[in-house]
Amino acid sequence: TRVPRAADFKQCPLKFRLRTIDRLDEVPSPVAARGTLVHAVLEEVFDLPAAERTPQAARALVQGCWAALVAERPELADLIADDPSLSEESWFAAAERLVDRWFTLEDPSRLEPSQREVQVETQLDGLLLRGIIDRVDIAPTGQVRIVDYKTGRTPAAGFEGKALFQMKFYGLVMWRRTGRVPDLLQLVYLKDGTIVRYEPDEADLLALERNVRAVWTAIEQAVATRDFRPSPSKLCGWCDFKPLCPAFGGTPPALPETIEIVTPE
């Protein structure tokens, strides 16, 4: 059994259901696509020799990374053309600005990541916990840093919990896999140039482990009762499933007779 999209269920059980059980497609947005593009560039820049990891070299990767993404997901090609508020020039310029800002926050010429875009997983009493980490750094002293890039702004007060939950989740998986608590969890916010650092300890990760178990119990209960009710919040405005949500006058599709929970990759 996997623990799928735990943060989704905590935010809204209906969103969890539509993503994980119904597996409905979400409409790709220009903002989300740009985030995927920037992540690809920041991963690929480390393929260059350290001395060549410059803002200019990173910007030069943008078009090639975008072509690779479109080859994998052709529907992305229409995003810019279909949005009257965007031009190709302005869209790519915005991606390049995010890449440039990263260089004001970190110096990739002095970093040699141990892992990039790595899928990590571990078993927890029959539950399979897994996630994809943007970057893992291991210092010569053995210290471990988990890094996640965010192309949006630093969350406002009251909204930072979801991002921290995700990072602690990664920390828990790494601890259970390796036996070592990561020394630092680092969130790099490229929109406003902020780095958020958190030093976890065993007590933190044990508390998160209890939280994950509780979420899984709640998921099992929702499956048993076939009850995935919405949980409206300020985040609803950004939800692709809003037209299907009863809280906004929508009607979700009929729940499948047999509920199979599959973790999306």
Side-chain angles (χ1 to χ4, degrees):
T1 304
R2 296 168 177 157
V3 173
R5 296 190 182 275
D8 278 353
F9 190 86
K10 285 166 64 71
Q11 179 187 325
C12 175
L14 180 62
K15 179 180 180 179
F16 166 88
R17 179 212 136 172
L18 295 174
R19 263 185 169 175
T20 307
I21 296 173
D22 297 277
R23 283 176 266 174
L24 298 184
D25 291 332
E26 293 175 78
V27 180
S29 71
V31 171
R34 187 164 53 224
T36 301
L37 171 59
V38 170
H39 275 74
V41 171
L42 300 192
E43 179 188 5
E44 196 166 305
V45 76
F46 286 104
D47 290 334
L48 300 173
E52 297 177 21
R53 297 171 193 163
T54 64
Q56 295 78 11
R59 286 197 298 272
L61 295 172
V62 169
Q63 293 291 341
C65 286
W66 179 245
L69 289 172
V70 169
E72 186 176 323
R73 298 180 60 192
E75 70 273 15
L76 295 178
D78 298 326
L79 284 180
I80 305 169
D82 291 347
D83 191 328
S85 68
L86 293 175
S87 69
E88 188 167 297
E89 182 180 4
S90 67
W91 191 81
F92 282 112
E96 290 174 359
R97 284 194 297 273
L98 293 172
V99 171
D100 282 343
R101 186 161 291 125
W102 177 56
F103 282 84
T104 70
L105 301 170
E106 298 190 289
D107 181 357
S109 69
R110 302 180 64 182
L111 295 170
E112 291 297 340
S114 171
Q115 296 170 296
R116 290 172 278 151
E117 284 293 313
V118 57
Q119 180 170 297
V120 293
E121 59 182 49
T122 190
Q123 290 281 343
L124 180 64
D125 297 338
L127 303 183
L128 178 60
L129 312 183
R130 72 177 184 177
I132 297 177
I133 298 175
D134 288 341
R135 199 178 88 218
V136 179
D137 300 333
I138 300 179
T141 57
Q143 292 180 303
V144 177
R145 175 172 60 190
I146 295 176
V147 180
D148 198 55
Y149 307 121
K150 300 293 185 185
T151 51
R153 297 184 183 279
T154 310
F159 290 95
E160 66 282 346
K162 182 177 180 180
L164 197 53
F165 177 90
Q166 177 189 13
M167 292 303 286
K168 287 183 178 181
F169 184 89
Y170 294 158
L172 172 62
V173 173
M174 290 291 285
W175 177 35
R176 290 308 191 196
R177 282 184 71 228
T178 66
R180 178 190 175 110
V181 173
D183 297 277
L184 187 66
L185 309 177
Q186 180 168 299
L187 287 159
V188 181
Y189 288 95
L190 300 174
K191 186 75 172 181
D192 53 8
T194 301
I195 292 181
V196 176
R197 298 180 176 91
Y198 186 82
E199 297 180 9
D201 57 28
E202 287 193 11
D204 278 337
L205 300 186
L206 285 171
L208 181 74
E209 190 174 283
R210 291 192 294 271
N211 192 320
V212 168
R213 291 177 192 276
V215 170
W216 181 248
T217 298
I219 291 171
E220 290 183 317
Q221 177 67 18
V223 169
T225 60
R226 302 175 66 82
D227 182 5
F228 293 88
R229 64 190 63 189
S231 180
S233 74
K234 294 180 180 178
L235 298 175
C236 293
W238 290 274
C239 182
D240 285 337
F241 302 123
K242 189 174 178 180
L244 297 174
C245 181
F248 297 93
T251 302
L255 194 61
E257 199 64 37
T258 301
I259 298 177
E260 179 185 5
I261 297 178
V262 177
T263 304
E265 298 296 336

Coordinates of all heavy atoms in Angstrom, one line a residue, residues 43 46 53 110-118 120 133-140 142-147 149 174 177-178:
E43 N 17.9 21.4 -13.1 CA 18.5 20.0 -13.0 C 19.6 19.9 -14.0 O 20.7 19.4 -13.7 CB 17.4 19.0 -13.3 CG 18.0 17.6 -13.2 CD 17.0 16.5 -13.7 OE1 15.9 16.9 -14.1 OE2 17.4 15.3 -13.6
F46 N 23.5 21.3 -13.9 CA 24.6 20.5 -13.2 C 25.3 19.5 -14.1 O 26.3 18.9 -13.6 CB 24.0 19.9 -11.9 CG 23.8 20.8 -10.8 CD1 22.5 21.2 -10.5 CD2 24.8 21.4 -10.1 CE1 22.2 22.1 -9.5 CE2 24.6 22.3 -9.0 CZ 23.3 22.7 -8.7
R53 N 28.8 26.8 -15.1 CA 27.5 27.0 -14.6 C 27.2 28.4 -14.3 O 27.3 28.9 -13.2 CB 27.3 26.1 -13.4 CG 27.5 24.6 -13.6 CD 27.5 23.8 -12.3 NE 28.0 22.4 -12.6 CZ 28.4 21.6 -11.6 NH1 28.5 22.0 -10.4 NH2 28.8 20.4 -12.0
R110 N 29.8 25.9 -7.1 CA 30.4 25.4 -5.8 C 29.6 24.2 -5.2 O 29.8 23.8 -4.1 CB 30.4 26.5 -4.8 CG 31.2 27.7 -5.2 CD 31.3 28.8 -4.2 NE 32.0 28.4 -3.0 CZ 32.1 29.1 -1.9 NH1 31.6 30.3 -1.9 NH2 32.7 28.7 -0.9
L111 N 28.6 23.7 -6.0 CA 27.8 22.6 -5.6 C 28.0 21.4 -6.5 O 28.1 21.5 -7.7 CB 26.3 23.0 -5.6 CG 25.8 24.1 -4.7 CD1 24.4 24.6 -5.0 CD2 25.9 23.7 -3.2
E112 N 28.0 20.2 -5.9 CA 28.0 19.0 -6.7 C 27.0 18.0 -6.0 O 27.3 17.3 -5.1 CB 29.4 18.3 -6.6 CG 30.5 19.0 -7.4 CD 30.2 19.1 -8.9 OE1 29.3 18.3 -9.4 OE2 30.7 20.0 -9.6
P113 N 25.7 18.2 -6.5 CA 24.6 17.4 -5.8 C 24.9 15.9 -5.9 O 25.4 15.4 -6.9 CB 23.4 17.8 -6.7 CG 23.7 19.1 -7.3 CD 25.2 19.0 -7.6
S114 N 24.5 15.3 -4.8 CA 24.6 13.8 -4.8 C 23.6 13.2 -5.7 O 23.8 12.2 -6.3 CB 24.5 13.3 -3.3 OG 24.3 11.9 -3.3
Q115 N 22.4 13.8 -5.7 CA 21.3 13.3 -6.5 C 20.4 14.4 -6.9 O 20.3 15.5 -6.3 CB 20.4 12.3 -5.7 CG 21.1 11.0 -5.2 CD 20.3 10.2 -4.2 OE1 20.0 10.7 -3.1 NE2 19.9 9.0 -4.6
R116 N 19.8 14.3 -8.1 CA 18.9 15.3 -8.7 C 17.6 14.6 -9.2 O 17.7 13.5 -9.8 CB 19.6 16.0 -9.8 CG 20.7 17.0 -9.4 CD 21.4 17.5 -10.7 NE 22.4 16.5 -11.2 CZ 22.7 16.5 -12.5 NH1 22.1 17.2 -13.4 NH2 23.6 15.6 -12.9
E117 N 16.5 15.2 -8.9 CA 15.2 14.7 -9.4 C 15.2 13.2 -9.1 O 14.9 12.3 -9.9 CB 15.0 14.9 -10.9 CG 14.6 16.3 -11.2 CD 13.2 16.7 -10.8 OE1 12.3 15.9 -11.0 OE2 13.1 17.8 -10.2
V118 N 15.4 12.9 -7.8 CA 15.5 11.5 -7.4 C 14.2 11.0 -6.8 O 13.6 11.7 -5.9 CB 16.7 11.2 -6.5 CG1 16.6 12.1 -5.2 CG2 16.8 9.8 -6.0
V120 N 12.5 8.8 -4.2 CA 12.9 8.1 -2.9 C 11.6 7.4 -2.4 O 10.5 7.9 -2.5 CB 13.5 9.0 -1.9 CG1 14.8 9.6 -2.4 CG2 12.5 10.2 -1.6
I133 N 12.5 14.2 -5.0 CA 13.3 15.3 -4.4 C 14.0 16.0 -5.5 O 14.7 15.3 -6.3 CB 14.2 14.7 -3.3 CG1 13.4 14.1 -2.1 CG2 15.1 15.9 -2.8 CD1 14.3 13.4 -1.1
D134 N 14.0 17.3 -5.5 CA 14.7 18.1 -6.5 C 16.2 17.9 -6.4 O 16.9 17.7 -7.4 CB 14.4 19.6 -6.4 CG 12.9 19.9 -6.9 OD1 12.3 19.1 -7.6 OD2 12.4 20.9 -6.5
R135 N 16.7 17.9 -5.2 CA 18.2 17.9 -5.1 C 18.6 17.4 -3.7 O 18.0 17.8 -2.7 CB 18.8 19.2 -5.3 CG 20.3 19.2 -5.7 CD 20.8 20.6 -6.0 NE 21.2 21.3 -4.8 CZ 21.1 22.6 -4.5 NH1 20.4 23.4 -5.4 NH2 21.5 23.2 -3.4
V136 N 19.6 16.5 -3.7 CA 20.2 16.1 -2.4 C 21.7 16.5 -2.4 O 22.4 16.1 -3.3 CB 20.0 14.6 -2.2 CG1 20.7 14.2 -0.8 CG2 18.5 14.2 -2.2
D137 N 22.1 17.2 -1.4 CA 23.5 17.6 -1.3 C 24.1 16.9 -0.1 O 23.5 16.8 0.9 CB 23.7 19.1 -1.1 CG 23.1 20.0 -2.2 OD1 23.0 19.5 -3.4 OD2 22.7 21.1 -2.0
I138 N 25.3 16.3 -0.3 CA 26.0 15.7 0.8 C 27.4 16.4 0.9 O 28.2 16.4 0.0 CB 26.2 14.2 0.6 CG1 24.8 13.5 0.5 CG2 27.0 13.6 1.7 CD1 24.9 12.0 0.2
A139 N 27.6 17.1 2.0 CA 28.8 17.8 2.3 C 30.0 16.8 2.5 O 29.8 15.7 2.9 CB 28.7 18.8 3.4
P140 N 31.2 17.3 2.3 CA 32.4 16.4 2.7 C 32.4 15.9 4.1 O 32.9 14.8 4.4 CB 33.6 17.4 2.4 CG 33.1 18.4 1.4 CD 31.7 18.6 1.8
G142 N 29.8 14.9 5.5 CA 28.7 13.9 5.6 C 27.3 14.5 5.9 O 26.3 13.8 5.9
Q143 N 27.2 15.8 6.1 CA 25.9 16.4 6.3 C 25.1 16.4 5.1 O 25.6 16.5 3.9 CB 26.1 17.9 6.8 CG 26.8 18.0 8.1 CD 26.9 19.5 8.5 OE1 27.6 20.3 7.8 NE2 26.3 19.9 9.6
V144 N 23.8 16.1 5.3 CA 22.8 15.9 4.2 C 21.8 17.1 4.2 O 21.2 17.5 5.2 CB 22.1 14.6 4.4 CG1 21.0 14.4 3.3 CG2 23.0 13.4 4.4
R145 N 21.7 17.7 3.0 CA 20.7 18.8 2.8 C 19.8 18.3 1.6 O 20.2 17.9 0.6 CB 21.5 20.0 2.4 CG 20.5 21.2 2.0 CD 21.3 22.5 1.8 NE 22.3 22.4 0.7 CZ 23.2 23.3 0.5 NH1 23.3 24.4 1.3 NH2 24.1 23.2 -0.5
I146 N 18.5 18.5 1.9 CA 17.4 18.2 0.9 C 16.9 19.6 0.4 O 16.5 20.4 1.2 CB 16.3 17.4 1.5 CG1 16.8 16.0 1.9 CG2 15.1 17.3 0.5 CD1 15.7 15.1 2.6
V147 N 16.9 19.7 -0.9 CA 16.6 21.0 -1.5 C 15.4 20.9 -2.4 O 15.3 19.9 -3.2 CB 17.8 21.6 -2.3 CG1 17.4 23.0 -2.9 CG2 19.0 21.8 -1.4
Y149 N 13.0 23.3 -5.1 CA 12.8 24.6 -5.8 C 11.3 24.9 -5.9 O 10.5 24.0 -6.2 CB 13.3 24.5 -7.2 CG 14.8 24.1 -7.3 CD1 15.1 23.0 -8.1 CD2 15.8 24.8 -6.6 CE1 16.4 22.6 -8.2 CE2 17.1 24.3 -6.8 CZ 17.4 23.2 -7.5 OH 18.7 22.8 -7.7
M174 N 13.8 9.8 3.8 CA 15.3 9.7 3.8 C 15.8 9.1 5.1 O 16.7 8.3 5.1 CB 15.9 11.1 3.5 CG 15.7 11.6 2.1 SD 16.6 10.6 0.9 CE 18.3 11.2 1.1
R177 N 15.1 5.4 5.1 CA 15.9 4.7 4.1 C 17.3 4.6 4.5 O 17.9 3.5 4.3 CB 15.9 5.5 2.8 CG 14.6 5.3 1.9 CD 14.8 6.0 0.6 NE 15.7 5.4 -0.3 CZ 16.7 5.9 -0.9 NH1 17.0 7.2 -0.8 NH2 17.5 5.2 -1.7
T178 N 17.9 5.6 5.1 CA 19.3 5.7 5.4 C 19.7 5.5 6.8 O 20.8 5.3 7.2 CB 19.9 7.0 4.9 OG1 19.4 8.1 5.7 CG2 19.5 7.2 3.4

